[in-house]
């Protein structure tokens, strides 16, 4: 998963605002964590963060990583 820190922080804000209690707790932990612990959270719960990144940004990130067919889903 290759997203910018701005995209990840925006996803965490959205998780706290519209996610369930678990997503909000993970987002809160993300905001309190240092960079090493943020990486651990992203390794464990990256799929959760990804759900809160807008679709067009997810597709752009996938295409930038070489998945040229990402937009065909």
């Amino acid at each position: 998963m290759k997203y910018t820190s701005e995209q990840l922080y925006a996803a965490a804000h959205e998780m706290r605002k519209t996610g369930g209690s678990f997503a909000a707790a993970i987002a809160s932990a993300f905001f309190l964590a240092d960079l090493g612990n943020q990486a651990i959270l992203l390794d464990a719960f990256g799929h959760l963060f990804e759900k809160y990144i807008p679709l067009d940004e997810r597709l752009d990130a996938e295409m930038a990583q070489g998945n040229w067919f990402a937009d065909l889903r």
Side-chain angles (χ1 to χ4, degrees), residues 3 7 54-66 70:
Y3 295 106
Q7 289 170 318
L55 178 61
D56 59 330
E57 292 183 35
R58 290 193 314 245
L59 293 176
D60 288 346
E62 283 190 46
M63 291 178 74
Q65 292 177 39

Side-chain angles (χ1 to χ4, degrees), residues 6-71:
E6 291 84 11
Q7 289 170 318
L8 293 170
Y9 276 93
H13 279 289
E14 193 64 27
M15 288 165 64
R16 283 180 38 174
K17 187 167 62 170
T18 63
S21 58
F22 184 77
I26 296 299
S28 294
F30 180 80
F31 287 124
L32 295 171
D34 60 19
L35 291 177
N37 285 320
Q38 283 181 345
I40 291 169
L41 287 169
L42 291 171
D43 284 343
F45 302 107
H47 63 284
L48 186 58
F49 282 81
E50 195 166 29
K51 285 174 49 177
Y52 291 90
I53 293 175
L55 178 61
D56 59 330
E57 292 183 35
R58 290 193 314 245
L59 293 176
D60 288 346
E62 283 190 46
M63 291 178 74
Q65 292 177 39
N67 183 0
W68 298 105
F69 302 105
D71 63 338

